[in-house]
Amino acid sequence: MSSSYLQMNVVEFCQCTKLPQAWLIEIVEEGILEPGGADPEQWLFDMQAVAVARRALRLRQDLELEWAGIALALQLLDQLEQLREENRQLRSRLSRFEAEEQD
Amino acid sequence: MEFKDYYKVLGVEPGADDAAIKTAYRKLARKYHPDVSKEKDAEQQFKEVAEAYEVLKTAEKRAEYDELRQYAQQGRPFEPPPGWQPQSQGGFEGNFGQSGQDFSEFFESIFGNASHAHRGHAHGRSHGRRGQDVEMEFPLLLEETLQEQAKQVALQIPQYSADGQPLPVLNKTLNVKIPAGTGDGERIRLKGQGVPGIGGAPNGDLYLIIRLVPHPLFDVEAHNLILTVPLAPWEAALGCKVTVPTLSGKINLTIPANTQSGQRLRIKSKGLINKLGGQGDLYALFRIVIPAQADAATRELWTQLADKAAFDPRSEWSKSR
């Protein structure tokens, strides 16, 4: 899901997320963020990316993880979130089909 | 103020070595970190754990804490000894991004105020401090995703004076445009509408996180919608015309004869729209319902049907045996 109608360049993105630029490059290399564009001068980030970067930063500080571990954690958390959402939707659909239990 | 037993918070013995403290912290952090955990009160729990680790991980702070711990008495309110001065200052730099930043009153009474120390440092460099970003969930009805919406957002923003003291909250009403096709979990950034900056530094931003409100009739499946349509047995058997709701008004639907429960009918381009201008479909999902009660005449008709229709609904079972 992207919100391409509002984007930031590298400078603004680093300011906004308080992420040192060297770390940003590491994060992109690890595939945690995919800003598009060949080199950092052309990178553009959307609002989703701000949330991802902040989350990655918190995980690094608080759980003392390496970027590779963070990338894996974020991917699994994303999958978990998708499954939870799918589960919620299926339950909602099921509830429309199931009648009240009878004695 | 109550004395906090940081060893208890981490679940370690007071004599535990650094490795044991680190292991205990990491284990609890993975359990309670708000980015990872769905535990109840995860954020509060994590704050406690982070604060305990902040103190116990550095020899200097731990020694100070241990010293005070001797004075603290079970069940008695805690006061730092008269003339107590924190020794281990300057331990707060480089803490950017950390979730457990705001420490308890107890912590600050021993080690001083982390955020004040930080602010003082920023002033020393003769520039101010950018205001914090604010995140806020914003509910949106499915109907409202079909067209761009002009909405008003009312919110309260905390403010701080130049020396870091809290000021009365700022009540704001903002006009926001929410683009058509905005989906659940998407973020809209309102630049400069977060917490005001200090000392001429820029304001923080406001992020609206869109939450689609569950609809009483429609279920969402990617960009498609599902509408459960109840049918009487004779409607399903004979076919019929039914008026059904969509997100944009009612339409007439022709139900073919011999429609089964659980069968779907696709109604093209009546689903949710995406930002590229495409639109998902609406699926009518049929569910056959039986009247809760039947009078004698109706029962007689059912009986006739039962006698005449040669139908075994469980024929599958005999095949599989």
Side-chain angles (χ1 to χ4, degrees):
Chain A
M1 203 186 313
S2 76
S3 341
S4 55
Y5 52 94
L6 222 177
Q7 297 188 311
M8 294 182 203
N9 63 24
V10 168
V11 174
E12 202 183 356
F13 186 79
C14 286
Q15 239 167 34
C16 186
T17 54
K18 300 194 179 91
L19 191 71
Q21 205 160 321
W23 285 13
L24 177 61
I25 289 167
E26 287 176 33
I27 282 188
V28 172
E29 277 172 356
E30 203 60 61
I32 293 173
L33 295 177
E34 291 170 338
D39 53 284
E41 276 95 78
Q42 291 160 359
W43 284 353
L44 284 176
F45 298 90
D46 62 18
M47 297 313 111
Q48 253 21 62
V50 175
V52 173
R54 287 195 174 143
R55 206 174 188 191
L57 206 50
R58 285 194 297 262
L59 291 175
R60 185 185 160 101
Q61 300 281 346
D62 297 336
L63 301 187
E64 302 173 336
L65 293 174
E66 303 284 331
W67 293 128
I70 292 169
L72 177 65
L74 289 176
Q75 189 186 325
L76 292 175
L77 284 169
D78 256 7
Q79 283 172 11
L80 186 64
E81 202 39 59
Q82 276 172 25
L83 287 173
R84 281 199 178 112
E85 178 58 20
E86 197 181 317
N87 191 32
R88 197 192 59 72
Q89 288 173 358
L90 289 174
R91 275 174 190 277
S92 157
R93 280 166 59 187
L94 190 62
S95 72
R96 295 185 200 271
F97 241 82
E98 280 185 337
E100 296 280 305
E101 216 169 289
Q102 287 177 351
D103 292 326
Chain B
M1 185 170 30
E2 206 173 311
F3 185 82
K4 279 187 191 253
D5 191 336
Y6 289 141
Y7 292 104
K8 216 166 160 187
V9 171
L10 291 185
V12 294
E13 293 295 319
D17 62 11
D18 288 353
I21 285 171
K22 190 189 239 178
T23 305
Y25 165 73
R26 287 189 172 174
K27 216 167 154 185
L28 289 169
R30 282 197 298 272
K31 186 172 178 194
Y32 291 120
H33 197 280
D35 283 311
V36 176
S37 176
K38 288 275 168 194
E39 296 267 344
K40 209 168 145 257
D41 300 328
E43 194 166 347
Q44 191 48 43
Q45 297 265 28
F46 178 73
K47 269 184 188 164
E48 301 262 321
V49 170
E51 180 174 314
Y53 186 55
E54 175 70 30
V55 173
L56 299 185
K57 76 176 174 187
T58 40
E60 224 180 0
K61 279 211 190 85
R62 187 176 172 183
E64 278 184 77
Y65 173 76
D66 284 344
E67 200 186 322
L68 281 178
R69 198 165 173 273
Q70 293 175 350
Y71 295 103
Q73 284 175 321
Q74 286 288 317
R76 289 266 198 89
F78 170 77
E79 282 291 337
W84 174 261
Q85 284 286 332
Q87 303 300 310
S88 52
Q89 275 195 347
F92 303 107
E93 284 162 41
N95 267 356
F96 48 86
Q98 199 155 336
S99 322
Q101 249 171 355
D102 42 340
F103 295 128
S104 68
E105 194 193 343
F106 171 74
F107 178 97
E108 290 184 355
S109 77
I110 304 178
F111 299 108
N113 185 322
S115 49
H116 279 220
H118 204 78
R119 272 167 213 154
H121 183 72
H123 277 287
R125 273 202 236 138
S126 84
H127 55 72
R129 205 171 64 114
R130 183 180 180 274
Q132 271 189 318
D133 292 346
V134 175
E135 290 189 352
M136 184 181 159
E137 298 213 329
F138 191 84
L140 197 65
L141 302 176
L142 292 184
E143 287 87 345
E144 294 174 328
T145 65
L146 295 182
Q147 278 162 4
E148 183 184 87
Q149 299 287 316
K151 287 274 188 183
Q152 282 206 329
V153 184
L155 71 164
Q156 295 189 317
I157 300 277
Q159 304 186 89
Y160 301 93
S161 65
D163 59 350
Q165 296 304 310
L167 296 172
V169 292
L170 186 66
N171 287 300
K172 269 197 195 182
T173 307
L174 300 169
N175 293 310
V176 187
K177 282 212 163 76
I178 298 178
T182 297
D184 192 60
E186 278 192 53
R187 287 159 175 263
I188 293 176
R189 177 189 181 217
L190 301 170
K191 203 177 168 179
Q193 299 291 358
V195 177
I198 293 169
N203 294 352
D205 301 328
L206 169 66
Y207 288 88
L208 297 181
I209 304 169
I210 301 297
R211 289 285 164 233
L212 294 184
V213 180
H215 197 282
L217 296 178
F218 301 103
D219 291 308
V220 179
E221 195 182 60
H223 281 96
N224 298 326
L225 292 174
I226 299 166
L227 172 70
T228 303
V229 181
L231 293 177
W234 46 90
E235 288 178 324
L238 304 173
C240 62
K241 282 194 181 345
V242 181
T243 305
V244 298
T246 73
L247 283 186
S248 51
K250 292 183 169 165
I251 57 163
N252 292 317
L253 203 59
T254 304
I255 316 289
N258 304 318
T259 290
Q260 299 285 352
S261 208
Q263 202 171 314
R264 286 177 172 213
L265 197 66
R266 185 165 79 123
I267 306 153
K268 216 172 171 311
S269 301
K270 286 286 176 190
L272 298 176
I273 63 170
N274 61 42
K275 290 224 182 61
L276 303 170
Q279 186 163 16
D281 302 323
L282 170 65
Y283 286 91
L285 176 63
F286 300 110
R287 175 186 175 212
I288 294 167
V289 290
I290 301 285
Q293 263 144 16
D295 57 20
T298 308
R299 244 196 334 269
E300 173 54 29
L301 289 169
W302 282 122
T303 311
Q304 281 180 34
L305 185 62
D307 290 342
K308 288 194 177 139
F311 177 53
D312 176 10
R314 289 168 296 280
S315 56
E316 287 288 312
W317 289 7
S318 44
K319 258 187 249 161
S320 64
R321 231 188 289 148

